[in-house]
């Protein structure tokens, strides 16, 4: 199995109606049923809460200003790109889309 | 030097190759920077570095190799031809269309990068980068080498058809080399189209493509004379055309044209059929051909189609009307490297008796043409236009 990041781009970030949020809650289970696995997931606060650091300069806002903001990222295991695309297509989207990208590495740092 | 390199490689063949490469590198480096103080040491270091690079690539390859092995799957038997399977997998939608075409020509058909660049009208470095990028994405994103599922198959068909068509075109008019045709490429494309037709009998565009290639192929023997010189359509010996092949194409087109909206290959085949079925060049139904080009241009707004339409307009409405269209395409600029643009313009100017301008345009085309048969044809035209008696 290979690992892929699925980046969710949404026009209004995580300001999502309850039915879309509910769909997100069942996503991991649906991915498992389809032969894949969600191994990590994170939902991000909106762009206005971001702080960017360029050298010593600290600025308000995200590094790249885009029409859609990254609302969340989850990491999946899939057989290959076709499988990963099929799984990523299950992501509930309100006004935007997803990007699938293979990972070089994914590690969770355990506290000892 | 070889022994020292073998220590690195533990493989004689590989070491020999690395040493040979080192000599080649020395020719370039020493010509630029002068012969080094210790040429033997220079060569040894270069050879060992080459060997190490190859080994590293092999290790990378080994780690990616599982991806290149096609897993046994129940759908595999649906497509008996491995080359065709590779065409489909190279045409994966996660690759840019340009990359799909380039990769298929390079990987499935074994064409050199320079040749692929010529067929697709881009520079060789651009093409090399495009192919490298595509291969890298296949490996890193794990684009699978499997037959697309029945549900995905139709979506992949169009890209595969485009690739097969480009492959035939590359064989039909070789962009480099001594001969006008490369029959091996053309016939391989025809085989692929026939096979696709067997596998996808319900796809009208597959029938359209096969018909188009059949008509081209039926006329191939008359495109060049005994000395390999290009023969224009109006001067071709129509008795040499393969009538059975043209009839087969005609049946395919008739069936494909009943589809709700004819696709680009079906329309191109219909145009080619009108040419093939005219008893003489003068009897060609040019007005009908222009109408088909209008339809084609609507679904496929390509400058190459517009250029071919202009050539048809020159027969239906005269060279002056067509010249205006060709000049418009010149201003557009997208066909700046396409030798058929100045060649078409030259032909129109010749027919308008503007010989000086025609000679200039033929010379422009000559500078861009890479095929020897076409070059000889264009040279003869330049001479003819510059002949003082005219």
């Amino acid at each position: 199995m290979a690992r892929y990041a699925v980046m969710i781009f949404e026009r209004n970030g995580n300001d999502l109606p309850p039915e879309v949020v509910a769909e997100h809650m069942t996503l991991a289970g649906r991915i498992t049923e389809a032969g894949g696995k969600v191994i990590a997931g994170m939902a991000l606060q909106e762009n206005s809460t971001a702080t960017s650091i360029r050298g010593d300069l600290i600025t308000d806002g995200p590094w790249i200003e885009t029409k859609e903001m990254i609302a969340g990222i989850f990491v999946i295991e899939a057989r290959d790109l076709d499988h990963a695309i099929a799984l990523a297509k299950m992501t509930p989207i309100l006004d935007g889309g997803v990007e699938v990208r293979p990972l070089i590495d994914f590690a969770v740092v355990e506290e000892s | 030097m070889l022994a020292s390199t073998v220590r690195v490689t533990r493989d004689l063949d590989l070491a020999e190759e690395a040493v040979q490469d080192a000599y080649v590198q020395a020719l370039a480096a020493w010509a630029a920077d002068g012969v080094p103080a210790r040429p033997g040491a220079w060569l040894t270091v270069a050879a060992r570095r080459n060997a190490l690079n190859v080994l590293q690539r092999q290790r990378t390859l080994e780690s990616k190799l599982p991806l290149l092995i096609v897993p046994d799957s129940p759908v595999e038997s649906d497509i008996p031809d491995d080359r065709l399977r590779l065409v489909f997998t190279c045409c994966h939608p996660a690759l840019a269309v340009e990359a799909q075409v380039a990769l298929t020509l390079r990987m499935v058909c074994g064409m050199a990068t320079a040749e692929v660049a010529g067929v697709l009208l881009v520079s060789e470095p651009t093409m090399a980068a495009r192919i490298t990028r595509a291969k890298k994405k296949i490996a890193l994103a794990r684009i699978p080498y499997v037959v697309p599922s029945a549900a995905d198959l139709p979506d992949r068909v169009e890209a595969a058809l485009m690739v097969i068509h480009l492959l035939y075109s590359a064989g039909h008019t070789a962009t480099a080399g001594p001969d006008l045709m490369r029959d091996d490429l053309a016939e391989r494309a025809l085989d692929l189209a026939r096979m696709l037709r067997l596998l996808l009998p319900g796809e009208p565009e597959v029938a359209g493509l096969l018909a188009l290639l059949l008509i081209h192929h039926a006329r191939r023997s008359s495109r060049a004379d005994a000395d390999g010189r290009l023969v224009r359509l109006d001067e071709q010996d129509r008795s040499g055309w393969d009538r059975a092949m043209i009839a087969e194409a005609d049946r395919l087109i008739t069936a494909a044209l009943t589809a709700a909206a004819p696709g680009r290959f079906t329309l191109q085949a219909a145009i080619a059929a009108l040419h093939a079925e005219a008893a003489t060049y003068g009897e060609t139904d040019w007005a009908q051909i222009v109408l088909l080009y209008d339809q084609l241009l609507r679904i496929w707004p390509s400058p190459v189609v517009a250029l071919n339409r202009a050539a048809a307009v020159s027969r239906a409405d005269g060279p002056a009307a067509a010249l205006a269209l060709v000049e418009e395409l010149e201003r557009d600029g997208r066909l700046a490297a396409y030798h058929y643009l100045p060649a078409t313009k030259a032909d129109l100017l010749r027919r308008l008796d503007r010989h000086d301008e025609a000679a200039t345009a033929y010379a422009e085309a000559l500078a861009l043409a890479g095929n020897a048969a076409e070059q000889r044809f264009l040279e003869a035209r330049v001479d003819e236009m510059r002949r003082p008696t005219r």
Side-chain angles (χ1 to χ4, degrees), chain A residues 2-100:
Chain A
R3 286 171 171 177
Y4 298 85
V6 181
M7 286 168 271
I8 304 169
F9 291 84
E10 277 281 12
R11 176 68 68 95
N12 295 313
N14 274 310
D15 184 13
L16 299 170
E19 63 272 18
V20 176
V21 174
E23 243 189 290
H24 269 290
M25 292 300 153
T26 62
L27 181 60
R30 285 181 289 127
I31 283 178
T32 305
E33 278 166 36
K37 192 179 170 189
V38 176
I39 59 173
M42 61 200 85
L44 307 186
Q45 290 288 2
E46 63 174 284
N47 273 3
S48 65
T49 66
T51 305
S52 296
I53 305 155
R54 290 169 172 82
D56 289 333
L57 182 68
I58 293 171
T59 53
D60 177 29
W63 184 270
I64 300 169
E65 288 281 2
T66 49
K67 217 160 51 183
E68 290 87 14
M69 51 183 118
I70 296 189
I73 300 171
F74 60 104
V75 177
I76 57 170
E77 282 185 346
R79 287 188 297 274
D80 53 35
L81 186 63
D82 282 351
H83 192 208
I85 289 171
L87 300 178
K89 273 186 178 171
M90 299 177 176
T91 315
I93 294 295
L94 188 66
D95 185 5
V98 296
E99 174 182 326
V100 180

Side-chain angles (χ1 to χ4, degrees), chain B residues 232 234 281 286 310-319 322 347 350-351:
Chain B
R232 295 169 44 92
D234 53 341
Y281 185 75
W286 293 107
V313 166
S314 84
R315 294 297 166 187
D317 304 327
D347 192 53
R350 177 182 62 80
R351 286 162 56 194

